């Protein structure tokens, strides 16, 4: 297949599976799941340092920033203002100018506040950050975000942590036809076939967290996700056969006995 | 003097710098970011940034998280 690496804003990504680091049993399980997934991109949240208990271990002791690209996110932010502050702190703490911008609109659904996301993205792009926005599966929103300078968009497959899979593949297809930047499906996938479907649609990558961390065996599921992405990507590049209503024999009729 | 550190009141020596405070708290500089009264303090300015009574300081680092659901953990305080 040659080099099929994904490039965003000049940064080359070896893996098309991006993973989160939340909700694992402990840091060791996080590390093993990430290794099994074969990813080179991990997303992390930005939180207050525990001042009282300094003995607590740091995630980055387990995930080597030299080995993985660290993608800070603004998860848990409900306003453009908080998301901007969090993203700017991440950039200062950091490692890179990459940020996964999330502005959540509602605690029950965790759906993105697209309007606030657009507002925050404008400010952060001006500050020189590479903004990868989490958004609804809305082609118009995707276009607006790309028009202001986002080098990729991250539409949801389904609500965060729901595991429902791609609920609207047609919208994802329209987003891909609407914008000329990479489309990364973010949130809501549940298992390896969901990932394969996203990749078969032609998505450029998939970001997930709970689908691995909430599996009975996260390490096995991480490996399954790796193959899901590879299978889906290959199938997309191979170009699937058209769907037909009636049967078409695959064996020749000629030479059959009794003819 | 008293400052607000990550949302909690904390007594610190008068005029302590960000650099000394992080040393005092045993926090590695390279993995954190600091905000003072909602303005980012660049790492290069830690040593020369002296704090004042009532300053609100946020010290953050990277934690586990991804497509984070319910347990969003600590947020940056108002």
């Amino acid at each position: 297949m040659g080099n099929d690496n994904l490039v965003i804003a000049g940064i080359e990504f070896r893996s098309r599976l991006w993973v989160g680091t939340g909700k694992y049993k402990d840091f060791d399980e996080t590390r093993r799941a990430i290794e099994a997934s074969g990813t080179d991109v991990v997303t992390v949240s930005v939180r207050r340092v525990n001042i009282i208990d300094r003995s607590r271990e740091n995630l980055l002791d387990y995930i080597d920033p030299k080995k993985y690209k660290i993608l800070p996110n603004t998860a848990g932010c409900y306003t453009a203002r908080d998301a901007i502050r969090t993203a700017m702190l991440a950039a200062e703490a950091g490692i890179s100018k990459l940020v996964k911008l999330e502005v959540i609109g509602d605690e029950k659904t965790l759906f993105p506040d697209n309007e606030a996301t657009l507002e925050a993205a404008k400010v952060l792009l001006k500050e020189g950050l590479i903004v990868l926005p989490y958004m609804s599966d809305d082609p118009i929103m995707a276009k607006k975000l790309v028009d202001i300078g986002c080098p990729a968009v991250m539409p949801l497959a389904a609500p965060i942590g729901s595991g429902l899979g791609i609920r609207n593949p047609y919208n994802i297809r329209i987003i891909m036809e609407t914008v000329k930047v990479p489309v990364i499906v973010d949130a809501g996938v549940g298992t390896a076939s969901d990932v394969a479907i996203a990749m078969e649609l032609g998505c450029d990558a998939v970001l997930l967290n709970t689908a691995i961390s909430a599996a009975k065996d996260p390490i096995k599921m991480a490996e399954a996700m790796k193959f899901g992405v590879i299978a889906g990507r290959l199938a997309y590049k191979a170009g699937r056969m058209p769907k037909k209503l009636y049967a078409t024999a695959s064996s020749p009729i000629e030479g059959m006995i009794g003819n | 003097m008293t400052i607000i550190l990550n949302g909690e009141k904390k007594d610190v020596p008068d005029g302590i710098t960000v650099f000394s405070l992080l040393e005092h708290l045993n926090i590695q500089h390279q993995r954190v970011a600091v905000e003072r009264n909602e303005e980012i303090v660049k790492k290069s300015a830690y040593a020369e940034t002296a704090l004042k009574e009532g300053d609100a300081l946020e010290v953050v680092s990277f934690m586990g998280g991804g497509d984070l659901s319910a347990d969003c953990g600590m947020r940056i305080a108002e």
Side-chain angles (χ1 to χ4, degrees):
Chain A
M1 206 151 82
N3 182 344
D4 187 36
N5 290 350
L6 173 61
V7 180
I8 298 171
I11 303 166
E12 197 168 349
F13 301 91
R14 186 172 40 77
S15 171
R16 289 175 182 273
L17 175 65
W18 297 9
V19 300
T21 49
K23 295 188 290 188
Y24 285 95
K25 193 177 71 198
D26 51 36
F27 285 149
D28 187 57
E29 188 184 71
T30 314
R31 179 189 58 77
R32 287 188 300 133
I34 288 168
E35 259 177 37
S37 76
T39 192
D40 65 338
V41 189
V42 295
T43 182
V44 297
S45 56
V46 179
R47 291 292 181 272
R48 284 171 167 169
V49 169
N50 189 327
I51 304 290
I52 317 289
D53 182 6
R54 296 296 308 137
S55 65
R56 282 174 60 171
E57 293 171 299
N58 188 299
L59 177 68
L60 295 188
D61 294 332
Y62 284 80
I63 299 161
D64 183 0
K66 290 190 197 80
K67 199 165 153 195
Y68 298 101
K69 293 180 184 73
I70 307 293
L71 173 62
N73 61 57
T74 63
C77 291
Y78 282 80
T79 63
R81 181 171 161 273
D82 275 356
I84 291 165
R85 282 175 72 190
T86 304
M88 293 303 293
L89 280 165
E92 174 59 25
I95 301 179
S96 82
K97 298 248 174 217
L98 275 174
V99 64
K100 181 188 143 190
L101 176 64
E102 268 184 53
V103 187
I104 302 298
D106 162 58
E107 279 188 36
K108 191 172 173 191
T109 62
L110 298 179
F111 278 138
D113 181 335
N114 291 307
E115 208 179 342
T117 302
L118 189 67
E119 186 191 330
K122 273 183 198 159
V123 174
L124 294 171
L125 288 163
K126 267 205 192 96
E127 295 284 348
L129 269 66
I130 302 165
V131 181
L132 311 181
Y134 166 65
M135 51 170 270
S136 302
D137 52 356
D138 172 2
I140 308 304
M141 193 60 213
K143 187 175 182 304
K144 286 183 180 179
L145 285 161
V146 172
D147 283 349
I148 62 166
C150 292
V153 288
M154 306 185 76
L156 55 80
I160 289 174
S162 69
L164 289 170
I166 298 191
R167 294 204 300 183
N168 198 337
Y170 304 103
N171 272 29
I172 300 286
R173 277 288 299 276
I174 296 173
I175 289 172
M176 287 186 300
E177 289 180 13
T178 305
V179 298
K180 299 287 168 239
V181 300
V183 175
I184 300 155
V185 165
D186 179 9
V189 304
T191 186
S193 56
D194 296 336
V195 171
I197 287 168
M199 297 308 292
E200 282 174 16
L201 282 170
C203 292
D204 294 277
V206 175
L207 189 151
L208 55 85
N209 188 153
T210 314
I212 294 178
S213 63
K216 279 192 187 138
D217 183 338
I219 315 302
K220 266 205 184 80
M221 187 55 90
E223 195 176 2
M225 294 301 186
K226 173 171 86 177
F227 291 121
V229 166
I230 293 170
R233 179 69 182 168
L234 275 172
Y236 168 70
K237 295 199 95 175
R240 63 154 299 149
M241 63 164 283
K243 288 181 183 175
K244 286 182 237 167
L245 188 56
Y246 288 98
T248 311
S250 56
S251 309
I253 303 296
E254 198 186 340
M256 286 188 72
I257 56 167
N259 276 359
Chain B
M1 66 178 187
T2 305
I3 61 166
I4 310 293
L5 176 61
N6 285 358
E8 306 273 344
K9 280 185 185 168
K10 184 158 179 77
D11 286 323
V12 295
D14 284 357
I16 193 171
T17 62
V18 171
F19 185 92
S20 304
L21 181 70
L22 293 180
E23 292 282 294
H24 175 67
L25 296 169
N26 193 23
I27 293 171
Q28 290 181 319
H29 296 190
Q30 63 269 30
R31 286 181 180 170
V32 299
V34 176
E35 199 187 55
R36 178 201 190 193
N37 302 331
E38 298 195 17
E39 297 270 337
I40 284 186
V41 183
K42 297 264 177 205
K43 284 189 203 300
S44 56
Y46 284 176
E48 68 207 38
T49 305
L51 298 177
K52 292 195 182 75
E53 172 78 29
D55 274 356
L57 217 65
E58 294 287 349
V59 182
V60 302
S61 186
F62 296 127
M63 308 279 167
D67 63 345
L68 213 71
S69 67
D71 50 351
C72 287
M74 287 176 286
R75 286 194 215 139
I76 294 175
E78 289 307 306

